[in-house]
Amino acid sequence: MKAKLNQLEARLQAFVEGSASKLFPFRGEQYELASTLVAAMKAGIHPAGEESWLAPNLYTLVVHPANSQSLSQNQILLGELAEIIQQTGNEAGLLFPSPPVIRIWTDQEVGLTEIRVLAQISAPQIGETSTLAVEPDDQAGSIPVNACLILEGAQIFPLEGAVINIGRRLDNHLVIDIGLVSRNHAQLRLINGRYVIFDLDSTGGTFVNGRRLQQCTLYPGDVISLAGVNLVYSQDADLLSADAPGPTQPITPFPPEA
């Protein structure tokens, strides 16, 4: 399976560097999109019976507002990209509940040369491209369904409050007793129904998907690194869809290589 997913990434890479290069003019975007798509797909796979796996059919590219128009206007190329995802996914033995669809959302906090990918299993009826804006006010809103942090791929820490403190001190909500982690390292705040992570002037820094940041709105699948300690943010991704959310599905690890 791993080899077939590598082939999928290679085909996506060739496509974004070739036919779709005008959609992603920055070399960094072209390089990261293929690997990010495959990683999002792999993270969203669920069991569908014995030796059968269901792959996400809705892929949301979250981009800076300045880049959304050019992407949204090239539905043909986005459709071709979705076809490659389905074809190579089927070759890897994956099932899709319906043909994959790629849609565009915007977020001011995403960098001009950055693309984030949300992958989810959704109902077959998928609406038109939508946009998502982060409001400037500091209202908490509702806690996302099934929001949690997955610590080093093993421990699950449910997020159940509007403010979550993380660090080495014992009075933090999430205690990480590792020397490189600062006593008060980072904080999650619920703002307009979305968790935003803030670095608390830590020594080792707070990184999201490899980039050191002072604050960042979190999306499902984002990898947070606190002085080398990795946490993956997860929530019910259907809450970001314009469609009515389907039933919550448990997170199931992808089977290890034989």
Side-chain angles (χ1 to χ4, degrees), residues 20 22 39 63 81 93 99 116-117 135-136 162 173 180 184 214 232 251:
K22 63 181 180 180
V63 300
L81 181 58
R116 297 184 183 183
V117 179
E135 298 296 333
H173 298 94
L180 294 177
N184 298 303
Q214 290 299 310
V232 177
I251 299 173

Side-chain angles (χ1 to χ4, degrees), residues 146-159 164-167 172-178 222 224 229-234 251 253:
N146 292 335
C148 67
L149 293 174
I150 304 173
L151 177 60
E152 295 292 353
Q155 178 185 352
I156 296 178
F157 180 83
L159 301 177
I164 306 291
N165 294 315
I166 305 173
N172 284 293
H173 298 94
L174 175 55
V175 177
I176 303 177
D177 190 14
I178 295 176
D222 278 349
I224 304 163
V229 178
N230 290 330
L231 306 96
V232 177
Y233 176 74
S234 178
I251 299 173

Side-chain angles (χ1 to χ4, degrees), residues 9-84:
E9 182 174 342
R11 288 193 60 182
L12 291 174
Q13 188 68 39
F15 178 76
V16 297
E17 289 182 350
S19 302
S21 59
K22 63 181 180 180
L23 292 180
F24 313 101
F26 300 104
R27 178 72 179 179
E29 285 180 322
Q30 297 174 10
Y31 176 78
E32 293 178 3
L33 178 60
S35 60
T36 304
L37 274 169
V38 173
M41 172 191 284
K42 186 174 180 180
I45 290 174
H46 292 275
E50 291 187 13
E51 300 183 1
S52 181
W53 297 89
L54 193 66
N57 60 330
L58 175 58
Y59 296 83
T60 304
L61 306 185
V62 185
V63 300
H64 189 276
N67 297 327
S68 64
Q69 184 173 1
S70 61
L71 288 170
S72 299
Q73 289 179 345
N74 284 276
Q75 293 296 317
I76 293 178
L77 288 177
L78 291 178
E80 291 178 7
L81 181 58
E83 289 177 2
I84 292 175

